[in-house]
Amino acid sequence: MTEIFVLAEHRQGQIRDITFEMLTKGKELAEKTNTDLTAVLLGKDVKEHAKTISEYAKKVFLVEDAKLENFNSEAYQKVLSNLTKEHKPLLTMIGHTSFGVDLAPSLAAALKLPLATDCIDLAFEGETLVITRQMYGGKVNVKAKVRKSESYIVTVRQAAFAAQKPNISGETMEVSSPLTEETTEKRFIEYVSPPPGGVDITAAEVLVGIGRGIKDESNMPMVEELAKALGGVLACSRPIVDKGWLSTDRQVGSSGKTVKPKLYIALGISGAFQHVLGMKNSDLIIAVNKDSNAPIFSFADYGVVDDLFKIAPALKDKIQELKG
Amino acid sequence: MDIIVCVKHVPETAEAEIKIDATGKAIEKTGLVFDINEWDDYALEEAVRIKEKSGGTVTAITVGPEDTDSTLRKCLARGADKAMRLTDPKFQGSDSYAIAKILQSTIKGLSFDLILTGALAGDDGYTMVGPILAELLGIQHATMVKKIEFDDGVAKVNRELEGGLEEKTEVKMPAVLSIQTGINEPRYVSIMGIRKAMKKEIKVLGLADIGLSESEVGETGSWIKVEKIFVPPAEKQAEFIKGSPEEVTTKIAEILKSRGLI
Amino acid sequence: MNFELNEEQKEIKRAVREFCEKEFTPELALEFDEKEEFPMALYKKAAKLGFTSMRLPEEYGGQGYGLLEDCIVVEEVCRVDPGLGVAVSLGNLMVPDILLKHGTEEQRKKYIPPLARGEAISAAAFSEPEHGSDITRMDTTAVKSGNEWVVNGSKEFITNAPVADTFIVLCQTDPNATPSHKGQSIFLMEKETPGMEATKLKRKMGIKPCITGSLALSDVKVPKSNLVGELNKGFYYALELFNETRIAVAAQAVGMSQGAFERAFQYAKTRKQFGSPIIKFQGVSFKLADMAIKIEAARMLTRKAAWLFDQGRLDPTATSMAKAFAGRAAMEVTDEAIQVYGGYGYLADYHVERFHRCAKITEIYEGTTEMQKLTIINRLMKTM
Ligand SMILES: Cc1cc2nc3c(=O)[nH]c(=O)nc-3n(C[C@H](O)[C@H](O)[C@H](O)COP(=O)(O)OP(=O)(O)OC[C@H]3O[C@@H](n4cnc5c(N)ncnc54)[C@H](O)[C@@H]3O)c2cc1C
Ligand SMILES: Cc1cc2nc3c(=O)[nH]c(=O)nc-3n(C[C@H](O)[C@H](O)[C@H](O)COP(=O)(O)OP(=O)(O)OC[C@H]3O[C@@H](n4cnc5c(N)ncnc54)[C@H](O)[C@@H]3O)c2cc1C
């Protein structure tokens, strides 16, 4: 009986959520395909993690090595290649994260196994893996077949599956590290934290999130005033940070902050999943976008299909009027 | 430093209305404006900046039909020295894996110190051309790159991680670096650039020139076969507030009030 | 015959379009329309990319293209915004053109490169309070005194006057010449020359970011070396110059029409009345078709005139036809654009009314439409 591998992801002592999300989906797939669910955990001094993860999977392969302390695709790829060759898992699930995208494609190419990236759903039709993923910034979904293979690799989008804790107590099996020497071509140096800014958007109760629809830096004062009128602060999508109009600590989303304010007003934000990941759990979401098909409207509680340059100033005036 | 930049010509869809075409496997492309993929735009700019600082050449390569020339010309106008287009009817239906193979079989014959790609393409979002290309070429890679420094045979890069964190990683050169947006501010195309670009030739190669077999490219050479595309089912749909700005904001104010937000 | 732009021209169009669409935001357009100020930062940015010196030779810092390529740029900037577009494209108006034809090498070297690079702004002063369409006599006089000319008079409606560094001024140098236009000459003047004073004209109908002013000249001392070309040839130089620059005005008109049309077209697709998008009503869609016809016709006339000029076969009839037709088309198209928008079109925030206000100037400056018709008919009378 073959198995389904889930590569556990952890960083700075924390197991990342994607691990449990994949383990949950992996369990479902394992049941359907009559295979075993195996978590693969690589690291240094991570027995605690192994224990936590063993509550989600039947088996945990634990590979401990000082060389695996921090993620390094060169080292990870060697270890995973060996395990894959030896166990021939039906499927290996890796997070579609900055770790996963650095690892999965070259691993797949090296093993000549087909890879499907950024999957939001997975199913087996007979022996064929069928995946769902998105294109055009989430405007359409794609259902695709993965080339038939004995073994598949996928990367899984964060938050695509909800994590559920099953009633399992799996066993941890220590596997000796195949790394005999330090990796020579790639070396982790250090983590770099962004310089702390003045505002902590994760602590704000009201956030006015602005996106590329804001068009020009000269429009910033207008939205700033709206945020002020609402007693909140500005947050933004990634392009605003890329352009340097707001500092990195204002970015909401997968590569920014996760926020959960009482009110999130999204102005000119299309709703790409990387952004939505960071704000979808806000208590109340109001989106203003001139495109009625913008994905943001599937996450918002209220939507306004209109020009933000009309709505935002009018809203500011209205709030100020009410506040007197 | 001789740098190769892999670029893709993609439709701009953030503000466009998207329709699914008659095959049900692709979107209707007529009426969409095509341009260089956003991530590749940053990659090209980074390559040109490296060249401006330390000399060398920049070669832009794309896999695509003839109309992708406009993206290549844009690269030339923005500072690339050479451009190559890999075009063949047999390339149709290639996914990122097949594209990476096509690129690899071309690039392996070129001399280079560094290859830059975008982290992903805004249309299909596969996020895999760069690292697969590296693996096939037998060299290292780093993805989600937001900063590059060079030091004695290595590139020290900052990779973007989740939650605002970055990691600094050292990669042996030559390497493939996949560039994340925000690494720089891409320049506009200038008239001087266009004049220079028009004097340069775009080299066109087909399947026969790159030494791959038909089965290695196109749909048969791909991992992924699209079955159908569809508009994502809305998990939830916002309640739309309609009317004039006055009416809309009055309604919003009521909602905020009812929730004690004002 | 070939009616298509070549690849290079298409690239030029794309580059300008990308620049303008990112830089000329609707909000900026509204802001400058309101504050009536020259968009200096934008002008410099556009100049740095070569957009404002298309038809100036490379040896003077220009791009070495022809008038046709210049028209492509002018059309595109005005398409994105008529006010900012005109302001940016007229930043270095006429001075380089006249110096290239009639200036000395010294004058060219001194004045053209800064204008080509966007480091300086120029103005061309012909019109006077009493002389607009008819400039055969100038009240502004230049009287020789030793090695200098002393200029007195006043000029009206001078584009860029309050912000310009370099001026050309048409003066009466021989008051007794008959006919009087045979006694006119053009002089170069630099800003802040004692006796020169420019005042800004406010509350224009349109093209508000393009600053217009009056110029008062009192005992302005101009060195002899600032005479452009030959003495008493100024009038002829002016006519010759207009035959070139009027083609660019036609391109402004085409761009404004195109911009208003595209907005109206998009609006008609989304605005619903009686349960359907208004573009489904023939009353609206035929309007749009008529607009498209007029724009295309205007564009073809403009490109033909520019092409003739670039071939060295300047044809005043073609120039005047292009300017007269494109100007009228712009008025009609922008008017209909407002109509398609209904009440919203009447509001500044919806932008099309600004296109309409701006379009009017193309029927006035650099020779009114009536003057164009005069040119056309005079020439037809001679040849038919
Ligand atoms: C690895 C990775 C990590 C990422 N991390 C993040 C992240 O953490 N956070 C993040 O936000 N993004 C992130 N992104 C980028 C993400 O994929 C999108 O590109 C980004 O979120 C888009 O931002 P946007 O919605 O502002 O812009 P766009 O997608 O361009 O949308 C602009 C929207 O504005 C609307 N609009 C335009 N004008 C107006 C107007 N006048 N009035 C009203 N509406 C208007 C348009 O209809 C459009 O929907 C990441 C991408 C990658 C690859
Ligand atoms: C915004 C702006 C910018 C300008 N920039 C410049 C500039 O930079 N430099 C410059 O020198 N000038 C400039 N002008 C002036 C412009 O060129 C003149 O306004 C134009 O030539 C018309 O002159 P006028 O206003 O004196 O009208 P008039 O000549 O008085 O004409 C009034 C009306 O009579 C008509 N008319 C006159 N004569 C005849 C005729 N023989 N047959 C039929 N109809 C006739 C005209 O067509 C017009 O309809 C500018 C004007 C404006 C409004």
Side-chain angles (χ1 to χ4, degrees), chain A residues 210-215 236-240 251-256 267-272 274-275 288-291 294 306-309, chain B residues 14-15 38-39 119-120 144 160 180:
Chain A
I210 56 170
R212 186 145 39 193
I214 197 84
K215 291 281 188 307
C236 65
S237 70
R238 172 176 193 124
I240 303 299
Q251 181 183 322
V252 171
S254 63
S255 54
L267 300 174
I269 290 176
S270 62
Q274 291 101 336
H275 184 80
V288 182
N289 195 304
K290 62 181 186 186
D291 175 6
D306 206 338
D307 188 345
L308 75 91
F309 296 106
Chain B
E15 293 189 22
E38 188 179 349
W39 282 264
L120 65 150
M144 302 289 162
E160 177 180 293
Q180 175 62 306

Side-chain angles (χ1 to χ4, degrees), chain C residues 67-138:
Chain C
L67 184 55
L68 181 53
E69 286 79 13
D70 197 14
C71 285
I72 293 169
V73 172
V74 171
E75 179 184 333
E76 244 4 83
V77 293
C78 291
R79 168 187 161 271
V80 180
D81 184 66
L84 296 171
V86 165
V88 165
S89 71
L90 289 184
N92 53 14
L93 86 173
M94 293 191 190
V95 172
D97 308 274
I98 198 165
L99 291 183
L100 286 169
K101 283 223 169 67
H102 304 292
T104 61
E105 187 53 23
E106 211 184 333
Q107 289 170 340
R108 291 181 193 162
K109 280 218 175 95
K110 179 169 179 197
Y111 293 107
I112 302 179
L115 287 168
R117 290 193 299 260
E119 288 153 13
I121 293 175
S122 58
F126 304 101
S127 307
E128 296 184 348
E130 301 299 333
H131 305 282
S133 299
D134 177 10
I135 54 167
T136 54
R137 169 168 286 283
M138 293 280 92

Side-chain angles (χ1 to χ4, degrees), chain C residues 31-51:
Chain C
E31 184 188 326
F32 275 87
D33 188 59
E34 201 149 298
K35 67 182 189 194
E36 308 192 47
E37 266 171 33
F38 184 78
M40 191 65 83
L42 271 187
Y43 171 62
K44 286 190 190 286
K45 239 183 193 170
K48 220 170 152 194
L49 294 165
F51 299 142

Side-chain angles (χ1 to χ4, degrees), chain B residues 77-251:
Chain B
R78 294 237 315 261
D81 303 280
K82 286 181 254 173
M84 288 173 90
R85 169 161 57 79
L86 306 169
T87 306
D88 200 296
K90 307 263 163 37
F91 294 163
Q92 269 244 324
S94 295
D95 69 357
S96 286
Y97 175 53
I99 298 286
K101 286 188 281 184
I102 296 167
L103 288 170
Q104 183 261 343
S105 54
T106 312
I107 291 172
K108 69 172 192 236
L110 307 175
S111 94
F112 61 86
D113 304 293
L114 184 67
I115 299 174
L116 301 184
T117 73
L120 65 150
D123 55 354
D124 53 34
Y126 282 122
T127 329
M128 59 193 201
V129 169
I132 294 178
L133 176 61
E135 184 66 36
L136 297 176
L137 286 166
I139 60 177
Q140 263 308 327
H141 70 267
T143 55
M144 302 289 162
V145 171
K146 291 211 71 176
K147 187 174 165 194
I148 311 175
E149 290 161 329
F150 298 101
D151 191 7
D152 202 19
V154 295
K156 285 187 176 158
V157 302
N158 281 31
R159 295 188 61 238
E160 177 180 293
L161 307 178
E162 287 75 19
L165 195 67
E166 291 178 4
E167 71 175 20
K168 198 181 260 308
T169 293
E170 195 178 279
V171 192
K172 191 175 150 212
M173 299 256 281
V176 179
L177 305 180
S178 297
I179 304 298
Q180 175 62 306
T181 57
I183 187 171
N184 53 40
E185 195 186 326
R187 69 195 68 186
Y188 288 113
V189 171
S190 71
I191 297 295
M192 309 71 160
I194 291 175
R195 196 162 356 84
K196 275 193 218 140
M198 295 311 295
K199 294 196 187 112
K200 293 172 192 158
E201 205 190 328
I202 294 174
K203 189 168 173 188
V204 182
L205 297 178
L207 184 60
D209 306 305
I210 60 171
L212 280 181
S213 73
E214 207 178 315
S215 63
E216 287 171 288
V217 300
E219 213 167 79
T220 46
S222 293
W223 283 335
I224 305 293
K225 185 167 170 245
V226 172
E227 292 286 296
K228 66 165 183 178
I229 70 170
F230 52 100
V231 176
E235 293 169 29
K236 124 181 157 188
Q237 181 70 16
E239 182 185 329
F240 286 106
I241 307 173
K242 293 189 181 137
S244 66
E246 170 61 26
E247 289 157 7
V248 166
T249 52
T250 306
K251 181 81 203 294

Side-chain angles (χ1 to χ4, degrees), chain C residues 53-67:
Chain C
S53 59
M54 293 300 290
R55 63 179 195 268
L56 306 183
E58 290 178 63
E59 56 174 315
Y60 300 110
Q63 306 311 315
Y65 285 101
L67 184 55

